[in-house]
Amino acid sequence: MTTSILNTVSSIHSSRVTSVDRVGVLSLRNPDSVDFTRRRSGRRFVVRAAETDTDKVKSQTPDKAPAGSGSSINQLLGIKGASQETNKWKIRLQLTKPVTWPPLVWGVVCGAAASGNFHWTPEDVAKSILCMVMSGPCLTGYTQTINDWYDRDIDAINEPYRPIPSGAISEQEVITQFWVLLLGGLGIAGILDVWAGHTTPTVFYLALGGSLLSYIYSAPPLKLKQNGWVGNFALGASYISLPWWAGQALFGTLTPDVVVLTLLYSIAGLGIAIVNDFKSVEGDRALGLQSLPVAFGTETAKWICVGAIDVTQLSVAGYLLASGKPYYALALLALIIPQIVFQFKYFLKDPVKYDVKYQASAQPFLVLGIFVTALASQH
């Protein structure tokens, strides 16, 4: 299974608001119903918006949209700065956040390369493409949709113009979408196991385990994302380790050293996941989610983020050097340097304002570093 090498995957998180004289609680029965309760000086005031049947609501442009007209490309990719859309299929695509698919697709490539058994034959290419579809559009799409579903309270505070809190898509349509994506991904995993001749359905088990991890990451009662450390490591493992394992299991055999190496790389994924937490501080704090920016403050969290990314890669480079693979180690070091440059140029200056620029400029080097590690692991 697979849920994203980077980013990802968008996304996610912490501390509870308390005040001596007032407490605000925001809840959504459905995307169109808002109930705000305030207690002040011992009295309780309730303002309740009129409820509507979300299944009967047509797509509509939200009242509160981002500044400016927004970008139609951003809308299709599922990133901030998106234009408001009424076409249901475009809204469905937006919920799956296609911008988070490439890391999973790349993870499959890395796994196939690490197996040492991938050949440029039509059959192997077809297998790898089907595995990419499972990892990206299906299971990452499922992960992003279910995350937005369980984040609708937070998004109502941070990004009220998003499809679910704005009422642009109904409750039943969202539920249908994540079931279709989940079952589609698991079905493809089963097909891949049969195609590869596995006696044990390894790819299916990975897909099932990854899907379960995605669910407990977003959904109560466990909701791993409530803890910045556990939640972000789970996210990093989903985006880096799981697609790699799926690609390697499809063409070869998973070995203990590869499992350890990819889990180590998942610490870098933890850092990548933190990048997405800075823009959600207000909502995370209001709803009691312990994201690292909320728990430690923005300044400290910035350094935790870059430290997790850089120290992990330096450790992997050291491991490759100790394993007698100096050229791979040097190649990885060369890819770490520009990441550090972009961290100081963008992320450490303002992690909210420059998050997209930072991810677009620095993360391709991280991705290439993971591929270098994959090539090193097959020799």
Side-chain angles (χ1 to χ4, degrees):
M1 137 71 194
T2 43
T3 27
S4 18
I5 294 180
L6 317 166
N7 204 304
T8 158
V9 110
S10 37
S11 0
I12 319 183
H13 341 308
S14 88
S15 196
R16 189 176 305 273
V17 172
T18 58
S19 175
V20 174
D21 63 339
R22 67 180 184 182
V23 177
V25 180
L26 177 68
S27 64
L28 291 182
R29 291 191 183 87
N30 58 56
D32 299 306
S33 173
V34 179
D35 193 356
F36 186 81
T37 303
R38 174 173 293 177
R39 292 180 180 85
R40 187 179 186 89
S41 302
R43 292 176 295 175
R44 185 172 183 269
F45 299 91
V46 179
V47 179
R48 183 175 286 107
E51 298 185 17
T52 58
D53 185 347
T54 54
D55 292 334
K56 296 180 181 178
V57 173
K58 295 181 179 179
S59 297
Q60 56 189 3
T61 302
D63 293 332
K64 186 175 180 181
S69 59
S71 165
S72 58
I73 294 178
N74 287 15
Q75 189 275 324
L76 292 174
L77 292 176
I79 58 179
K80 68 181 183 179
S83 62
Q84 299 306 308
E85 184 57 64
T86 58
N87 183 293
K88 276 291 173 65
W89 288 105
K90 289 184 178 180
I91 292 171
R92 288 184 181 280
L93 182 63
Q94 181 181 1
L95 281 176
T96 67
K97 294 186 178 70
V99 73
T100 64
W101 300 352
L104 282 295
V105 169
W106 190 252
V108 173
V109 172
C110 291
S115 73
N117 293 321
F118 175 84
H119 303 94
W120 288 99
T121 63
E123 181 179 7
D124 280 4
V125 170
K127 283 181 185 177
S128 63
I129 290 175
L130 192 58
C131 191
M132 292 173 188
V133 171
M134 174 197 73
S135 303
C138 290
L139 294 181
T140 305
Y142 155 77
T143 298
Q144 296 295 347
T145 302
I146 200 169
N147 183 69
D148 270 19
W149 172 248
Y150 285 106
D151 265 4
R152 60 194 188 278
D153 289 12
I154 297 176
D155 288 340
I157 299 172
N158 295 323
E159 300 174 280
Y161 45 81
R162 288 190 60 78
I164 296 175
S166 70
I169 187 168
S170 74
E171 173 181 332
Q172 189 56 53
E173 287 169 326
V174 176
I175 293 172
T176 300
Q177 174 159 318
F178 63 64
W179 273 111
V180 168
L181 292 171
L182 173 61
L183 295 176
L186 294 177
I188 291 174
I191 291 171
L192 288 172
D193 278 318
V194 173
W195 197 349
H198 292 163
T199 54
T200 300
T202 310
V203 178
F204 178 81
Y205 287 156
L206 288 171
L208 186 61
S211 301
L212 177 60
L213 183 61
S214 298
Y215 179 78
I216 63 174
Y217 172 81
S218 299
L222 294 179
K223 198 160 189 169
L224 299 181
K225 68 191 296 179
Q226 292 181 112
N227 182 295
W229 295 108
V230 176
N232 285 330
F233 182 78
L235 192 65
S238 297
Y239 275 82
I240 296 177
S241 299
L242 285 170
W244 180 318
W245 295 349
Q248 185 158 347
L250 183 61
F251 294 101
T253 303
L254 278 176
T255 56
D257 60 322
V258 167
V259 171
V260 171
L261 192 61
T262 51
L263 286 176
L264 179 62
Y265 244 120
S266 296
I267 299 175
L270 179 151
I272 294 165
I274 298 172
V275 173
N276 296 297
D277 290 340
F278 290 92
K279 65 174 182 283
S280 303
V281 168
E282 181 184 350
D284 292 347
R285 182 178 289 118
L287 293 172
L289 297 181
Q290 289 294 320
S291 69
L292 297 185
V294 172
F296 293 96
T298 299
E299 287 302 312
T300 302
K302 287 192 302 187
W303 290 100
I304 293 174
C305 177
V306 299
I309 293 172
D310 297 341
V311 172
T312 296
Q313 294 179 91
L314 290 171
S315 300
V316 173
Y319 169 80
L320 294 178
L321 184 62
S323 300
K325 301 169 183 175
Y327 295 113
Y328 288 107
L330 288 173
L332 183 55
L333 285 173
L335 292 168
I336 296 172
I337 293 172
Q339 294 178 61
I340 296 174
V341 170
F342 287 122
Q343 285 166 0
F344 279 94
K345 183 177 181 179
Y346 294 123
F347 183 73
L348 292 172
K349 282 186 177 180
D350 190 330
V352 176
K353 182 178 180 181
Y354 296 118
D355 67 328
V356 174
K357 284 187 177 181
Y358 166 66
Q359 293 184 71
S361 57
Q363 288 186 0
F365 293 99
L366 173 64
V367 170
L368 288 174
I370 293 173
F371 185 65
V372 167
T373 304
L375 292 176
S377 67
Q378 72 171 319
H379 295 299

